[in-house]
Amino acid sequence: MNRQKSPPAAVTDRGVRVALIFALAAERLAAYYEHGQWLTEGQGASLAADWLSRSKLNLPLAERRHLSDRSDQLARQVAATLSREAGLYTAHEMMESLDPNYHSEIAQSLLDECDRLLGDAAPL
């Protein structure tokens, strides 16, 4: 099946938040599988602030901590439900998918899960 890429969606506040949850979860899984340690909520919030600043975006600390917490939930869920090998592969796919030119069905399904985790809550 030949799938065409859809045009990039406009960057939305929700899209930024979903992307942050996904990227933080990928970082958490990579750190967990590489070093056997989980990033703290504060480390995740700081990492999010660094990423946002590169794009000249900003979110309040409380919102970054909330997104960090959501990413932690996802990363731990992935680690708890997959074998080590499958978890390593998933973390790799997520990290590769941070490049917009890379497509992964696994990463897309996890991105959808990030959207679900964000829920319908309004931005803080």
Side-chain angles (χ1 to χ4, degrees):
M1 182 167 123
N2 187 5
R3 295 178 70 178
Q4 292 183 351
K5 286 189 178 183
S6 55
V11 175
T12 63
D13 286 345
R14 183 174 183 84
V16 167
R17 286 167 172 77
V18 169
L20 279 172
I21 293 171
F22 180 88
L24 286 170
E27 286 288 337
R28 288 176 185 284
L29 284 168
Y32 173 71
Y33 287 117
E34 190 172 324
H35 304 290
Q37 295 181 329
W38 291 106
L39 296 177
T40 66
E41 184 182 279
Q43 288 171 320
S46 293
L47 192 53
D50 289 345
W51 291 339
L52 288 166
S53 69
R54 288 186 211 146
S55 301
K56 300 195 185 337
L57 299 172
N58 190 14
L59 288 174
L61 177 59
E63 178 72 3
R64 293 192 323 266
R65 283 187 175 272
H66 173 72
L67 298 173
S68 179
D69 177 63
R70 295 299 170 132
S71 73
D72 186 65
Q73 289 176 17
L74 177 62
R76 289 177 189 264
Q77 179 184 353
V78 168
T81 57
L82 298 177
S83 68
R84 178 170 172 75
E85 285 181 24
L88 282 165
Y89 178 76
T90 299
H92 172 78
E93 285 292 294
M94 291 177 78
M95 294 299 283
E96 289 291 321
S97 292
L98 295 175
D99 176 348
N101 295 318
Y102 187 85
H103 178 75
S104 164
E105 293 292 327
I106 292 170
Q108 184 59 53
S109 68
L110 289 169
L111 191 60
D112 293 343
E113 180 63 12
C114 292
D115 189 50
R116 188 195 69 74
L117 277 172
L118 185 58
D120 296 326
L124 296 178

